[in-house]
Amino acid sequence: MNSKPVALVTGANKGIGLQIAKDLASHGFTVLVGSRDLAKGEVAAKSVADDARAIQLDVADQDSISAAADCVRKEFGRLDVLVNNAGISHAGAPGRPLEEIARSGLLPNVSLNEVRTVWETNVFGVIAVTQAMLPLLREAPAARIVNVASGGGSLAWNSDPNNPHRYMFGNYSASKVAVNAVTLGFAFSLEAEGIKVNSADPGFTATDLNDHQGTGTVEEGAREAVRLALLGPDGPTGTFSNSDGPVAW
Ligand code: NAP
């Protein structure tokens, strides 16, 4: 059995997930670098730590999720931290400008196929991966689950007519509102077992997700998810926060 705590980060082959993986490794975790393309995960794992391992994990594919859970059980027998980071902002071709992504995801325009694809990864993927990993998380002494949500999914912020970003509130943002609901659902159900479940808002971060229009670095974007992954026994559960503090739901 691994003497170090074990963390799984989904969508960790690039962007904020890769940085979360690096930060957790530097805090003493053996990190499993989730990647739907195993080869990309293997390249990323080399940049994370010597003992980091790539694991094939497509959060929209139940067979892939089940195989990943089996692999973690065989190799480690438990999971201390799960970071549900994998996410997509749209289902179209990669590299589209942010304005186009935002416009095409607005609810009056977006196709139901696009809605289903985005929710399959961003919402159902979080539920499916968490359910599959739960028996392994229960084997850990103090498991933590972090769901990477978004300030774009804050109903309170977006309800403010002065919020300059609310014109972008569409399918992606709605999926991130649902992520927060999923966080609360798991948090309430697992509270008695001491498993803490929280949502992290990385802030507007320059990654492929937004055609690198974000203003923050991945180091900044990873910070809150990492803090929540490291919560001690007195830490909260069922919260939504960024590196400045609580975010209004
Ligand atoms: P990114 O650089 O595009 O990375 C997204 C990651 O998710 C990639 O590794 C991608 O893998 C993976 N992914 C997508 N679909 C997947 C699937 N079905 N199964 C497994 N992995 C999948 O974007 P990012 O900005 O780092 O996003 C990370 C998280 O932060 C997302 O949940 C996003 O919604 C959230 N977020 C980002 C921002 C921001 O400003 N960037 C703000 C708020 C929240 P591939 O390489 O295979 O595509």
Side-chain angles (χ1 to χ4, degrees):
M1 277 299 152
N2 211 57
S3 57
K4 293 168 71 175
V6 183
L8 168 61
V9 184
T10 68
N13 54 287
K14 66 178 184 181
I16 297 166
L18 175 57
Q19 187 61 43
I20 293 171
K22 289 178 180 173
D23 292 352
L24 290 176
S26 72
H27 278 94
F29 284 79
T30 294
V31 178
L32 305 175
V33 176
S35 177
R36 54 182 165 176
D37 179 330
L38 184 60
K40 287 184 186 168
E42 281 167 347
V43 172
K46 284 197 176 80
S47 74
V48 169
D50 287 347
D51 70 342
R53 315 248 189 110
I55 186 165
Q56 198 282 329
L57 179 50
D58 182 338
V59 305
D61 177 347
Q62 189 60 50
D63 289 344
S64 167
I65 296 168
S66 301
D70 286 348
C71 172
V72 178
R73 174 164 296 286
K74 279 195 196 97
E75 293 268 326
F76 301 101
R78 72 169 202 283
L79 187 62
D80 296 272
V81 163
L82 169 64
V83 182
N84 286 306
N85 164 78
I88 53 174
S89 53
H90 63 99
R96 294 158 79 203
L98 182 59
E99 288 294 328
E100 191 188 315
I101 293 171
R103 202 172 39 248
S104 68
L106 294 178
L107 270 297
N109 313 329
V110 69
S111 73
L112 269 180
N113 275 345
E114 166 109 5
V115 173
R116 288 193 178 100
T117 302
V118 170
W119 285 60
E120 195 66 56
T121 294
N122 293 6
V123 185
F124 308 145
V126 173
I127 299 172
V129 172
T130 305
Q131 287 184 348
M133 298 299 162
L134 208 41
L136 292 156
L137 291 158
R138 287 185 165 126
E139 294 295 330
R144 305 288 178 253
I145 301 169
V146 181
N147 295 331
V148 179
S150 170
S154 163
L155 291 174
W157 285 3
N158 284 287
S159 300
D160 178 354
N162 297 317
N163 179 345
H165 302 298
R166 79 180 207 156
Y167 77 95
M168 293 200 293
F169 191 96
N171 181 40
Y172 168 76
S173 305
S175 77
K176 290 297 184 178
V177 176
V179 168
N180 277 340
V182 168
T183 292
L184 288 183
F186 277 110
F188 299 157
S189 305
L190 298 173
E191 192 165 16
E193 297 177 60
I195 299 178
K196 298 182 192 295
V197 190
N198 293 288
S199 278
D201 163 28
F204 192 36
T205 307
T207 66
D208 287 348
L209 189 97
N210 51 37
D211 198 30
H212 293 261
Q213 299 298 298
T215 48
T217 64
V218 287
E219 287 80 4
E220 292 162 339
R223 198 169 294 152
E224 185 62 6
V226 172
R227 187 186 72 81
L228 292 169
L230 301 175
L231 286 176
D234 297 331
T237 191
T239 65
F240 178 30
S241 54
N242 62 22
S243 53
D244 293 330
V247 177
W249 300 101

